[in-house]
Amino acid sequence: VNFSSCNGKRRVQYESSEPADFQVDAEGRVYAARSFPLSAERARFLIFARDKETQEKWQVAVKLSLRPALAEESAKESREIEEIVFPRQLSKNGGSLQRQKRDWVIPPINLPENSRGPFPQELVRIRSDRDTNLSLRYSVTGPGADQPPTGIFIINPISGQLSVTKPLDRELIARFHLRAHAVDINGNQVENPIDIVINVIDMNDNRPEFLHQVWNGSVPEGSKPGTYVMTVTAIDADDPNALNGMLRYRILSQAPSTPSPNMFTINNETGDIITVAAGLDREKVQQYTLIIQATDMEGNPTYGLSNTATAVITVTDVNDNPPEFTAMTFYGEVPENRVDVIVANLTVTDKDQPHTPAWNAVYRISGGDPTGRFAIQTDPNSNDGLVTVVKPIDFETNRMFVLTVAAENQVPLAKGIQHPPQSTATVSVTVIDVNESPYFAPNPRIIRQEEGLHAGTMLTTFTAQDPDRYMQQNIRYTKLSDPANWLKIDPVNGQITTIAVLDRESPNVKNNIYNATFLASDNGIPPMSGTGTLQIHLLDINDNAPQVLPQEAETCETPDPNSINITALDYDIDPNAGPFAFDLPLSPVTIKRNWTITRLNGDFAQLNLKIKFLEAGIYEVPIIITDSGNPPKSNISVLRVKVCQCDSNGDCTDVDRIVGAGLGTGAIIAILLCIIILLVLVLMFVVWMKRRDKERQAKQLLIDPEDDVRDNILKYDEEGGGEEDQDYDLSQLQQPDTVEPDAIKPVGIRRLDERPIHAEPQYPVRSAAPHPGDIGDFINEGLKAADNDPTAPPYDSLLVFDYEGSGSTAGSLSSLNSSSSGGEQDYDYLNDWGPRFKKLADMYGGGDD
């Protein structure tokens, strides 16, 4: 087929619509791609001419027909199989090797994939020219024959006919390399093996496949045409060097189709997607969805196979929308002297993507706050501006602020976009007057005053000021702290007056300064108060006489070698203290006769014995000490001196010290404390003993379950000889003490779990006078009273007939006189004593039984 263009400059490429059966070369020659019987279905196909530059395409129809005279011949030729003959080997001629024929180069066998058969399908026939003389056997080896995958190719060992047994798949194996062998019936090789290459011809049996079914890309809004967006890629399992594997891309659809239905284009060979139109605006369209198609056969819509994928293109935000205030003026108010208070809430709108640097607002105060009392923070969630007070504001100084505020973004605006007037607003802040605390000025206030001022002396006027100039308020003063209770303040005018003598030497004075605190309170709503400190710097006066130090000393009986060094203690300070003058009084006369004092310097003096010997003992030596005040102040201070015997070194050898002559205060206090503690311990021990006796008596009144006398034989105690003991004194059963008066005599004791319903009967009381009579009458009277007692327990129990006091002189009951031994005693009379003695009557009565 020939193609002619008008100018002859077009470069075209030929293509066949049936590339598996017919191919066309670059010169337009059409040939059969394989051997096959021609049928009416395959007699028509198309040939295409495609311009390599513009991709413009033309086509022409080709129709094949067989000549009637040649139909039989053609069918015969189609049944003939190509024959491959082994090359001749080298032979000997005249004793030397001579090449008869060069080795053949066997062309490869082309076999299309996916053949429909019938199978086995004959390919070629392999033979040797020595088969006329020998009986040969043919075989093939290699992958596809005797190696995996085995059995694809077989050979007739007699005829050498090579056949394929099933359809081939080029995508699995594109080429088979076999070796043909010829041996005799003994297995001896008669020919050198020959190589047979079988190429599997590709068929368009695979659709293109995208690497991803959904592709994601992004492009900034406002991008210019030609901006790269993304690349999509598809692959085809067919031969990439043939038309079957050559892919072409195109965009099938775009959604949405605004502002243009063709906002993007794709490179049909590489799959690169770029923008082709302007107008990308994220605020209008945030995302585009493209359907991309990939077609093999270089995109031939008629014969190529296709597949589709989705490309999602997100339009990213750029700062092309400035923030705009929702109002031109915002209002707020704040109480004075308050900080960290939100005054106003500034709201803005921004069309950019929320929570991005292009949307996040930054507020700036451009005017109206020269002292920096306000700050604006951005709420990260709502993007609002929170106007906050960062420094206290005084209503009396500024009643209102008018702030100018500008709103910007965290990133600059896109090129060519300016801030509109709506990006600036005004904030009007009103300051609210509140009641403030009065304050003292100066605070603390320092005054200098001599000590010793008498009560009622006016020191100063300590007043406070009220910062609320626009409120008519009264201030009253009270004393808050006065450690020594020396001062008072007038509640109206703040005049401070002494109520006691000021003393610089008081322990409440530190470093000559006395601190007092006063409170000033107004009558506002709510009432407020402030404190002020008055510091009184007390000037010293000579109001303290010096004292000797130390107050106790010791020396030897002789003047040498010891002397006593003394000094003076004065609570005043210079110039009312040292230097000091030391002297001895004129009386008693023994002082100056026995002692002498020598001034060493302004603060120290030395006391020595004036006589050669002074008897050991305790001596009180008065010393006159005078300070340097104006006027000076003197004092006679007593020094207690122990004169003792000394050794050669001048050390006192007496065992007793000065404290032996008289106990000091600390020793006396310690002794008293020890005595008090001892008395407390003794008292606690006595109380504990009494409480234990009471508990023991209470326990005796209750019957132990083990001592219950009901149906039990009790062993009270070991009584020695028992009834055989005849030496007894009946007077021991009598109460020698006088009977207690009825007023203090305890009522008959009964169990605590009983409540009497009748008056308690009067049990017989034994006479206090001793008599040797038998106690039987007394026991009978008590028994009769107990039997008639309605409050008595309903069972046998111990009864207290009478209280005999402590220290009873009664002996053991074994001393009772018995008229006969136990064996001869008659106990039948126990039956007459009532039910309470029935158990004893059963045990001892009834005769011998």
Side-chain angles (χ1 to χ4, degrees), residues 80-153:
E80 292 182 356
I81 303 301
E82 182 180 359
E83 188 177 83
I84 299 177
V85 181
F86 281 92
R88 296 290 299 275
Q89 294 183 353
L90 297 177
S91 62
K92 294 182 179 180
N93 186 5
S96 62
L97 294 175
Q98 185 177 9
R99 183 179 297 276
Q100 297 293 333
K101 187 177 182 180
R102 298 188 63 184
D103 291 343
W104 289 1
V105 177
I106 301 175
I109 301 173
N110 295 325
L111 183 63
E113 64 174 334
N114 302 325
S115 176
R116 297 182 179 179
F119 296 102
Q121 180 181 347
E122 298 178 350
L123 299 180
V124 294
R125 180 183 177 188
I126 300 173
R127 61 173 295 273
S128 171
D129 55 3
R130 300 182 63 178
D131 59 355
T132 58
N133 301 326
L134 299 173
S135 176
L136 303 181
R137 297 293 183 268
Y138 300 98
S139 64
V140 291
T141 60
D146 61 344
Q147 299 178 16
T150 59
I152 296 179
F153 299 98

Side-chain angles (χ1 to χ4, degrees), residues 566 582-584 595-599 605-608 623-624:
I566 61 174
F582 300 89
D583 199 1
L584 296 176
W595 304 92
T596 180
I597 191 168
T598 304
R599 187 169 182 263
Q606 194 173 76
L607 181 67
N608 295 286
I623 300 174
I624 302 174

Side-chain angles (χ1 to χ4, degrees), residues 325-353:
F325 285 99
T326 58
M328 296 303 297
T329 304
F330 295 88
Y331 298 92
E333 58 182 21
V334 58
E336 63 174 332
N337 300 322
R338 294 281 300 275
V339 295
D340 297 331
V341 177
I342 297 177
V343 176
N345 191 8
L346 311 181
T347 56
V348 295
T349 59
D350 196 321
K351 297 179 182 179
D352 292 320
Q353 185 176 358

Side-chain angles (χ1 to χ4, degrees), residues 567-762:
T567 185
L569 174 65
D570 195 334
Y571 292 104
D572 294 325
I573 59 176
D574 291 335
N576 297 319
F580 300 99
F582 300 89
D583 199 1
L584 296 176
L586 297 177
S587 61
V589 295
T590 57
I591 298 301
K592 281 203 169 186
R593 184 182 63 192
N594 296 337
W595 304 92
T596 180
I597 191 168
T598 304
R599 187 169 182 263
L600 299 179
N601 53 34
D603 294 328
F604 291 92
Q606 194 173 76
L607 181 67
N608 295 286
L609 277 175
K610 189 175 182 181
I611 60 178
K612 294 183 178 181
F613 177 81
L614 184 63
E615 185 179 357
I618 304 297
Y619 297 88
E620 292 185 353
V621 181
I623 300 174
I624 302 174
I625 304 176
T626 305
D627 60 20
S628 299
N630 186 18
K633 202 171 188 64
S634 298
N635 180 36
I636 299 178
S637 184
V638 177
L639 175 63
R640 300 178 75 250
V641 181
K642 177 186 178 182
V643 179
C644 60
Q645 297 177 1
C646 298
D647 56 13
S648 59
N649 296 325
D651 296 330
C652 188
T653 58
D654 294 349
V655 178
D656 297 334
R657 310 301 295 174
I658 296 178
V659 296
L663 293 176
T665 304
I668 295 175
I669 294 176
I671 293 174
L672 291 176
L673 287 177
C674 292
I675 294 174
I676 293 174
I677 293 174
L678 183 59
L679 291 175
V680 171
L681 292 177
V682 172
L683 180 61
M684 292 176 61
F685 179 75
V686 172
V687 172
W688 177 75
M689 290 295 294
K690 288 188 175 182
R691 180 175 298 176
R692 191 180 67 170
D693 291 341
K694 290 182 178 180
E695 292 177 353
R696 185 178 301 169
Q697 293 175 7
K699 289 181 179 179
Q700 291 176 354
L701 300 180
L702 299 177
I703 299 175
D704 193 285
E706 297 179 358
D707 296 337
D708 196 348
V709 299
R710 292 178 295 173
D711 298 333
N712 289 315
I713 300 176
L714 303 179
K715 179 180 178 181
Y716 291 92
D717 200 357
E718 180 64 36
E719 296 184 346
E723 299 297 336
E724 297 179 357
D725 186 6
Q726 301 297 326
D727 297 330
Y728 58 88
D729 186 6
L730 291 176
S731 63
Q732 299 298 323
L733 295 177
Q734 310 302 324
Q735 173 58 264
D737 299 334
T738 60
V739 180
E740 296 179 357
D742 294 338
I744 62 174
K745 183 178 184 300
V747 184
I749 301 175
R750 60 176 178 268
R751 295 173 59 90
L752 297 179
D753 57 351
E754 299 170 355
R755 178 175 296 177
I757 58 177
H758 300 87
E760 294 185 357
Q762 295 297 325

Side-chain angles (χ1 to χ4, degrees), residues 291-326:
I291 303 300
I292 309 298
Q293 183 186 59
T295 307
D296 57 15
M297 298 295 295
E298 289 189 331
N300 190 319
T302 304
Y303 304 104
L305 301 178
S306 302
N307 211 338
T308 60
T310 302
V312 179
I313 301 175
T314 302
V315 182
T316 59
D317 187 35
V318 298
N319 194 14
D320 57 347
N321 293 281
E324 298 180 0
F325 285 99
T326 58

Side-chain angles (χ1 to χ4, degrees), residues 181-192:
H181 305 270
V183 297
D184 58 15
I185 58 176
N186 296 323
N188 297 321
Q189 179 177 319
V190 297
E191 299 283 0
N192 288 331

Side-chain angles (χ1 to χ4, degrees), residues 307-610:
N307 211 338
T308 60
T310 302
V312 179
I313 301 175
T314 302
V315 182
T316 59
D317 187 35
V318 298
N319 194 14
D320 57 347
N321 293 281
E324 298 180 0
F325 285 99
T326 58
M328 296 303 297
T329 304
F330 295 88
Y331 298 92
E333 58 182 21
V334 58
E336 63 174 332
N337 300 322
R338 294 281 300 275
V339 295
D340 297 331
V341 177
I342 297 177
V343 176
N345 191 8
L346 311 181
T347 56
V348 295
T349 59
D350 196 321
K351 297 179 182 179
D352 292 320
Q353 185 176 358
H355 306 291
T356 61
W359 179 82
N360 296 334
V362 178
Y363 299 90
R364 177 174 53 86
I365 299 176
S366 59
D369 185 22
T371 56
R373 298 184 181 275
F374 298 91
I376 304 179
Q377 299 177 349
T378 304
D379 188 329
N381 296 321
S382 62
N383 212 26
D384 295 345
L386 307 178
V387 182
T388 309
V389 179
V390 295
K391 293 182 181 179
I393 303 174
D394 188 9
F395 173 82
E396 287 71 26
T397 304
N398 296 291
R399 298 188 181 184
M400 178 176 288
F401 290 87
V402 178
L403 309 177
T404 302
V405 179
E408 302 172 351
N409 292 121
Q410 292 180 347
V411 295
L413 290 174
K415 187 176 180 180
I417 299 178
Q418 304 295 328
H419 284 91
Q422 291 80 4
S423 297
T424 304
T426 300
V427 181
S428 179
V429 180
T430 301
V431 182
I432 302 174
D433 189 16
V434 298
N435 187 22
E436 300 176 76
S437 300
Y439 64 92
F440 290 88
N443 190 16
R445 182 173 180 180
I446 302 175
I447 62 173
R448 301 173 67 86
Q449 192 65 253
E450 284 189 352
E451 63 173 331
L453 288 179
H454 297 290
T457 303
M458 198 277 288
L459 295 180
T460 184
T461 300
F462 196 23
T463 58
Q465 300 179 14
D466 192 349
D468 300 310
R469 297 196 301 265
Y470 302 98
M471 296 182 182
Q472 301 299 326
Q473 299 179 146
N474 298 324
I475 300 178
R476 296 187 66 84
Y477 303 93
T478 56
K479 184 172 65 174
L480 190 61
S481 174
D482 183 12
N485 197 25
W486 287 345
L487 309 174
K488 71 175 182 178
I489 187 170
D490 188 282
V492 178
N493 56 25
Q495 217 175 57
I496 298 177
T497 309
T498 62
I499 58 176
V501 178
L502 304 183
D503 185 9
R504 191 198 65 83
E505 291 74 29
S506 170
N508 297 307
V509 178
K510 307 297 181 182
N511 298 324
N512 302 325
I513 294 178
Y514 180 75
N515 292 314
T517 306
F518 299 93
L519 184 70
S521 304
D522 60 20
N523 58 348
I525 301 177
M528 301 297 290
S529 61
T531 59
T533 302
L534 177 65
Q535 292 184 343
I536 305 175
H537 190 282
L538 293 175
L539 304 177
D540 187 38
I541 63 174
N542 195 14
D543 57 346
N544 291 280
Q547 299 177 4
V548 67
L549 190 72
Q551 296 180 355
E552 297 177 351
E554 63 180 18
T555 186
C556 298
E557 295 175 333
T558 59
D560 294 325
N562 285 346
S563 60
I564 301 173
N565 292 327
I566 61 174
T567 185
L569 174 65
D570 195 334
Y571 292 104
D572 294 325
I573 59 176
D574 291 335
N576 297 319
F580 300 99
F582 300 89
D583 199 1
L584 296 176
L586 297 177
S587 61
V589 295
T590 57
I591 298 301
K592 281 203 169 186
R593 184 182 63 192
N594 296 337
W595 304 92
T596 180
I597 191 168
T598 304
R599 187 169 182 263
L600 299 179
N601 53 34
D603 294 328
F604 291 92
Q606 194 173 76
L607 181 67
N608 295 286
L609 277 175
K610 189 175 182 181

